[in-house]
Amino acid sequence: EKFPEKFPEKFPEKTSEKILHLITDNKNITIAEISGLIGISDRAVKKHIAKLKEEGILKRVGPDKGGHWEVME
């Protein structure tokens, strides 16, 4: 599944769902890349990721540089 260069404003998914789709598509994606693709700040992406990690949905494996994301299902 390919994503548009930027998500349309009226995209039916929640921001956290968009983040999960992007991470599922590319486990090495950076916060800056996510931010640019969905049109929110880096800080907002970090907040959503923190919540997903707290809920046990998302996990970071390895260091900030060189690591990757894992979506727990």
Side-chain angles (χ1 to χ4, degrees), residues 6 10 19 26 31 35 37 40 47-48 55 63 66 72:
K6 290 219 179 235
K10 295 180 182 177
I19 291 170
N26 175 8
I31 287 173
S35 168
L37 286 168
I40 63 174
K47 283 177 120 175
H48 282 283
E55 293 171 357
M72 316 309 273

Side-chain angles (χ1 to χ4, degrees), residues 8 11 18-19 29-30 32-33 39-41 44 46 51 56 58 65 68 70 73:
F11 205 82
K18 292 179 194 177
I19 291 170
I29 196 165
T30 66
E33 289 169 332
I40 63 174
S41 70
K46 287 178 185 176
K51 187 172 184 198
L58 190 62
K65 292 189 180 193
H68 66 272
E70 281 187 10
E73 297 207 25

Side-chain angles (χ1 to χ4, degrees), residues 7-67:
F7 282 90
E9 282 298 311
K10 295 180 182 177
F11 205 82
E13 292 179 306
K14 293 180 184 176
T15 301
S16 56
E17 290 171 345
K18 292 179 194 177
I19 291 170
L20 285 174
H21 276 112
L22 288 169
I23 289 172
T24 301
D25 195 42
N26 175 8
K27 67 180 183 173
N28 298 311
I29 196 165
T30 66
I31 287 173
E33 289 169 332
I34 294 170
S35 168
L37 286 168
I38 61 178
I40 63 174
S41 70
D42 288 6
R43 184 177 171 142
V45 172
K46 287 178 185 176
K47 283 177 120 175
H48 282 283
I49 286 175
K51 187 172 184 198
L52 290 167
K53 285 165 75 174
E54 188 177 297
E55 293 171 357
I57 297 170
L58 190 62
K59 180 180 170 186
R60 181 73 183 173
V61 178
D64 288 349
K65 292 189 180 193

